[in-house]
Amino acid sequence: MPSSLAALALLAPALLVAVALLGMALPGLRPHAVLLASRLATIAGLILAFLAAALVIAHGPLTSKLIGSSGLGFSVRLDAVSCSMFLLVAFIGLIVIQYSRNYLDGDARQGAFLGGLCLTLAAVMLLVLAGNLVQLAAAWIATSLSLHRLLVFYRERPAALIAARKKFITARIGDACLIGACVLLAKAFGSSDIASILAQAHQLDKDTSSATTHIAAWLIGFAALLKSAQFPTHGWLPEVMETPTPVSALLHAGIINAGGFLVIRFAEVMLLSAPSLHLIAIVGGFTALFGGVVMLTQTSVKASLAWSTIAQMGFMLLQCGFGAFSIALLHIVAHSLYKAHAFLSSGSIIEISRSAWKPDMLTKPQAGRIIASLVLALLLYASTGWLFGMFTEKSAAVISLGAILIMGLSLLIAESLQGRIEARVIGRIVLAAGAASCAYFLLQKGAAALTASTLPIAPPPDSAGVAIMVLVIVSFATVTLLQILAPTRSVGRAWRIARVHLANGLYVNACFNRLVGALRRPATSTH
């Protein structure tokens, strides 16, 4: 009976598809039926997401019966991962649809736009709820294709067409990787049911798993990197700002997370291939550093947010590469909520920035103050970590990611020590840093407990994994130090030149443009 109830979750994407069809029938200005239906469908979707979560809490992980035959059809997998993502997508979808009702008011194609949004939301829901490989792959592709229609909603904007073309090419390569992975997984485990595959993978050892499983893990990793706009195929993401703001919010807060969700969903399979996780950690860690540094040089609010998303997706995949899947899932939820709010409120960011306190960054930082900020950050981290029992768990992944948190805290404290020292400001910063440390460990504990029955615990790293962790920590420490020193040296010629190159992303995107021929205009007809 509970497994039959799980299938009711499919009503949410079904209602959204119905709204999309209604939008196709009424694509024009202020279609009352589409406006009302989109609101009701998203509210119903959120209610169904809560009911699905309640069902899992009451009965544990569930998989509905296949609605179809021979492995082809629809089925729902409900567990901590899918329910978290279902709730997230339903909530963000409700907010974005409500925002779009006002944002697109007066647009000649308002009905078509709302229909496109609902279709994209339906595809994402089918993806996160997928109980079998066929549905997963189909929803993955459908999400990309429906998003493409939204990216080129204003076809008169050449920049939007170029960015969407690059996204289209990258996405098709990712689709091929995922389809290949699904075929290999079905062959290796003799089933297309995701729950069955994960259960069998859990019983295997990475030293005895087949070559087919290893190749499938590599393909999953490649698909995730391509979907999440990781270096060097990241260039399309900052260029899709020509699309309406609701699309940007949905893309950056929801769809871009699909790569990380894929790795988390197949965590048991990924643990069978340590090299695939190493690849994800290396590419994700580099992208996090690269995107974060480039973000600091942007002058446009939306461009800065786009580079922030690239960096955040890199850091999330770094967590996956370390095997910290529960933390990565928590990262997805937190980043999505933050980024949706950031894009939808981007119009007021200038006023917020003007009213915010800013440290004196032009005063040359003193070595003693930098060391003091690092020591204070270490003390805060160590004390909170001891309170939450971090040192008894001895999780290399948690400790490594916590070390990166220390650098963020030390940067925050170092900024408060710039220029004239004010006790009030320092006290507030220290309290904020302490609260951030407590939040990190508290949320980490909560995420681990929530996903204990679904996601595996991060295993001890091998020698290559340890080397990658050390490299990542040293790299983040170096960038943190440069971030402290850079503002005081911004007047220097070398730093100004470096800033120009960084603002252009070191021209990696220009090379990608030439590679895919995205800048070549289609030939015009002579007829």
Side-chain angles (χ1 to χ4, degrees):
M1 183 65 177
S3 60
S4 300
L5 292 176
L8 292 177
L10 291 173
L11 287 175
L15 291 172
L16 290 168
V17 170
V19 177
L21 295 175
L22 186 61
M24 294 174 60
L26 301 171
L29 176 68
R30 296 190 183 94
H32 177 73
V34 178
L35 293 172
L36 178 61
S38 61
R39 172 181 284 180
L40 294 176
T42 49
I43 292 175
L46 185 59
I47 293 173
L48 287 168
F50 277 111
L51 292 176
L55 193 62
V56 171
I57 293 172
H59 300 281
L62 298 167
T63 299
S64 70
K65 294 181 179 179
L66 180 71
I67 304 175
S69 62
S70 303
L72 301 177
F74 297 97
S75 61
V76 173
R77 173 64 179 172
L78 292 183
D79 55 22
V81 174
S82 61
C83 284
S84 297
M85 296 299 296
F86 188 19
L87 280 167
L88 178 66
V89 173
F91 177 72
I92 290 178
L94 174 62
I95 300 300
V96 169
I97 288 294
Q98 180 59 35
Y99 183 91
S100 301
R101 290 163 56 91
N102 299 324
Y103 183 87
L104 267 291
D105 187 46
D107 192 285
R109 298 175 59 217
Q110 185 179 9
F113 179 80
L114 286 172
L117 274 181
C118 288
L119 183 63
T120 306
L121 281 170
V124 178
M125 286 183 180
L126 285 173
L127 173 64
V128 301
L129 292 172
N132 64 84
L133 295 177
V134 176
Q135 179 182 334
L136 180 81
W140 176 279
I141 297 171
T143 298
S144 179
L145 294 178
S146 57
L147 173 64
H148 181 79
R149 293 183 59 191
L150 293 174
L151 294 180
V152 296
F153 184 74
Y154 293 126
R155 294 185 176 274
E156 67 277 9
R157 300 179 180 180
L161 297 179
I162 293 174
R165 192 182 310 158
K166 289 195 296 184
K167 167 67 172 65
F168 187 87
I169 294 172
T170 303
R172 299 293 74 76
I173 300 173
D175 294 346
C177 290
L178 180 61
I179 292 173
C182 289
V183 171
L184 292 176
L185 287 174
K187 178 181 178 182
F189 295 99
S191 174
S192 64
D193 181 73
I194 292 176
S196 175
I197 291 172
L198 297 179
Q200 292 182 60
H202 181 71
Q203 302 298 324
L204 296 178
D205 184 85
K206 64 181 179 181
D207 296 325
T208 59
S209 57
S210 66
T212 302
T213 305
H214 285 272
I215 297 173
W218 276 92
L219 290 175
I220 290 172
F222 283 127
L225 293 172
L226 290 167
K227 193 75 165 184
S228 297
Q230 296 298 280
F231 185 92
T233 60
H234 61 278
W236 62 269
L237 190 58
E239 294 180 352
V240 295
M241 295 299 104
E242 293 289 330
T243 193
T245 296
V247 180
S248 298
L250 182 59
L251 167 61
H252 289 261
I255 298 172
I256 199 70
N257 296 313
F261 166 77
L262 181 68
V263 176
I264 295 170
R265 168 47 76 207
F266 291 101
E268 297 284 5
V269 175
M270 300 304 293
L271 288 178
L272 297 176
S273 176
S276 65
L277 290 177
H278 295 162
L279 170 72
I280 292 173
I282 292 172
V283 177
F286 179 81
T287 305
L289 290 171
F290 176 72
V293 171
V294 175
M295 177 195 71
L296 297 174
T297 65
Q298 301 301 304
T299 56
S300 165
V301 172
K302 284 191 174 183
S304 180
L305 289 174
W307 281 101
S308 168
T309 297
I310 292 173
Q312 292 291 339
M313 291 300 99
F315 192 68
M316 182 265 296
L317 288 172
L318 172 66
Q319 294 166 334
C320 291
F322 284 175
F325 300 108
S326 61
I327 298 178
L329 179 63
L330 174 65
H331 191 147
I332 287 177
V333 175
H335 173 261
S336 295
L337 296 175
Y338 148 70
K339 197 55 63 74
H341 175 268
F343 267 100
L344 297 180
S345 62
S346 59
S348 58
I349 194 66
I350 296 176
E351 289 77 7
I352 297 173
S353 178
R354 286 174 177 172
S355 62
W357 172 83
K358 299 178 182 61
D360 180 11
M361 298 302 291
L362 296 180
T363 302
K364 185 176 180 179
Q366 300 176 12
R369 295 187 179 185
I370 295 176
I371 295 174
S373 65
L374 178 59
V375 170
L376 188 54
L378 279 169
L379 289 174
L380 287 170
Y381 178 77
S383 59
T384 53
W386 177 78
L387 288 173
F388 285 94
M390 180 198 72
F391 301 110
T392 59
E393 294 181 358
K394 298 180 181 178
S395 172
V398 175
I399 294 174
S400 299
L401 295 171
I404 297 173
L405 174 65
I406 292 174
M407 296 160 206
L409 296 179
S410 61
L411 176 62
L412 183 67
I413 296 172
E415 289 181 350
S416 70
L417 295 177
Q418 300 282 56
R420 183 168 61 88
I421 295 179
E422 297 183 19
R424 177 179 59 85
V425 173
I426 295 176
R428 290 172 58 186
I429 294 297
V430 170
L431 285 175
S437 297
C438 289
Y440 170 76
F441 289 109
L442 184 62
L443 292 172
Q444 183 266 326
K445 287 278 190 180
L450 180 67
T451 60
S453 63
T454 304
L455 295 177
I457 300 174
D462 55 15
S463 57
V466 172
I468 292 172
M469 287 181 179
V470 173
L471 177 62
V472 167
I473 293 172
V474 171
S475 300
F476 271 88
T478 303
V479 171
T480 300
L481 182 60
L482 289 174
Q483 193 171 346
I484 294 174
L485 297 176
T488 63
R489 301 175 182 268
S490 58
V491 295
R493 183 171 181 271
W495 286 84
R496 284 189 283 115
I497 293 174
R499 183 180 180 86
V500 171
H501 294 320
L502 286 171
N504 288 279
L506 299 181
Y507 311 103
V508 175
N509 190 37
C511 297
F512 186 48
N513 286 339
R514 293 183 179 182
L515 180 65
V516 301
L519 294 180
R520 184 178 60 208
R521 293 179 180 273
T524 56
S525 175
T526 58
H527 299 287

